[in-house]
Amino acid sequence: MASTTDTDSPTNQGLKSLRLLCFGDSLTAGYSGYGYFHYPYATHIRKKLKEELPDTDAVVDVSGLSGDRVIAGRFLGRIKAMSEKVKHAPYDWIIILGGTNDLGWSERPDDIYESLKQVWTVALDSGANVLALNVLEGEHTSGDIVSRRKQLNALIAGHEEHRLYYMDLCAAVPFFTMNDSMRAMMWDDGLHLTMDGYEMMGNAIAIKLLELLRVAKDPLNTGPKKSSKTHDLQGTKGDG
């Protein structure tokens, strides 16, 4: 991961504008109530940024496609299209959550990780910082899905790349360690969240993002990479 201990960066209080994209599948879309309701966690990031950075013009967009997969889905094509669409006003931060559906389709953690790296690369090449989220738990424990999720999350946590940061979303919004009453309040169908659950998710991500805005050396977009044939893998590992 990129270092989270830079000391020569401007504080987030000095940011005049900030553009964010929350990118992923149904958990990013805020899917709930079997699709009858959607409560994107981005709503709570937007609210938190307005509270904490009142002088910053913050834009928080959402691109969440229910059922999408990193390997055999449209993840890579979507992030490429989004980057091209906003190239004249690119995002400063892209928050990426993917892999849940791939695990459900019995994909191997290594393969999911390799596909996620392609998605991260497109985002990084646009000049954005990337906040990579790990995969949430869920009530389904059949087969080897729990061990595969743990393997995938370990790969995401261990990835080292300049301007790519990591958040342990699984710890911030747990399933198994919640008591029954809290779980009933936060979790909808054992895979997706309720309105309260997405609020918990959004607030946790917002707190992490505000921390990163304070310490990141380049909190804003640095401009598109001239060549995307190879990607800069330099960087030091942060604390997540």
Side-chain angles (χ1 to χ4, degrees), residues 17 42 51 123 132 159 220:
S17 64
E51 293 174 353
H159 186 84
L220 300 180

Short mmCIF file of all heavy atoms in Angstrom, two decimals, residues 17 42 51 123 132 159 220:
data_model
loop_
_atom_site.label_atom_id
_atom_site.label_comp_id
_atom_site.label_asym_id
_atom_site.label_seq_id
_atom_site.Cartn_x
_atom_site.Cartn_y
_atom_site.Cartn_z
N SER A 17 -11.60 21.85 -3.76
CA SER A 17 -12.53 20.94 -4.41
C SER A 17 -12.03 19.51 -4.26
O SER A 17 -10.83 19.27 -4.01
CB SER A 17 -12.69 21.29 -5.89
OG SER A 17 -11.46 21.10 -6.58
N ALA A 42 -22.29 6.03 -0.46
CA ALA A 42 -21.73 7.31 -0.89
C ALA A 42 -22.50 8.49 -0.30
O ALA A 42 -21.93 9.57 -0.08
CB ALA A 42 -21.73 7.40 -2.41
N GLU A 51 -19.77 18.03 6.43
CA GLU A 51 -19.64 18.41 7.83
C GLU A 51 -18.20 18.76 8.19
O GLU A 51 -17.94 19.74 8.89
CB GLU A 51 -20.13 17.26 8.73
CG GLU A 51 -21.61 16.99 8.64
CD GLU A 51 -22.02 15.75 9.41
OE1 GLU A 51 -21.11 15.04 9.91
OE2 GLU A 51 -23.23 15.48 9.53
N ALA A 123 -7.63 2.95 -12.77
CA ALA A 123 -7.94 4.08 -11.89
C ALA A 123 -6.69 4.89 -11.57
O ALA A 123 -6.71 6.13 -11.61
CB ALA A 123 -8.58 3.57 -10.60
N ALA A 132 -8.68 0.86 -1.88
CA ALA A 132 -9.13 -0.51 -2.13
C ALA A 132 -9.77 -1.08 -0.86
O ALA A 132 -9.13 -1.10 0.20
CB ALA A 132 -7.95 -1.37 -2.57
N HIS A 159 -1.18 -5.87 -0.96
CA HIS A 159 -0.77 -5.24 -2.22
C HIS A 159 -0.04 -3.92 -1.96
O HIS A 159 -0.51 -3.08 -1.19
CB HIS A 159 -1.99 -4.97 -3.09
CG HIS A 159 -1.66 -4.45 -4.45
ND1 HIS A 159 -1.32 -5.30 -5.50
CD2 HIS A 159 -1.60 -3.20 -4.95
CE1 HIS A 159 -1.08 -4.57 -6.58
NE2 HIS A 159 -1.24 -3.30 -6.26
N LEU A 220 -4.92 15.15 -4.34
CA LEU A 220 -5.70 15.44 -5.53
C LEU A 220 -5.13 14.70 -6.74
O LEU A 220 -4.04 14.14 -6.69
CB LEU A 220 -5.72 16.95 -5.80
CG LEU A 220 -6.31 17.82 -4.68
CD1 LEU A 220 -6.27 19.29 -5.07
CD2 LEU A 220 -7.74 17.38 -4.35
#
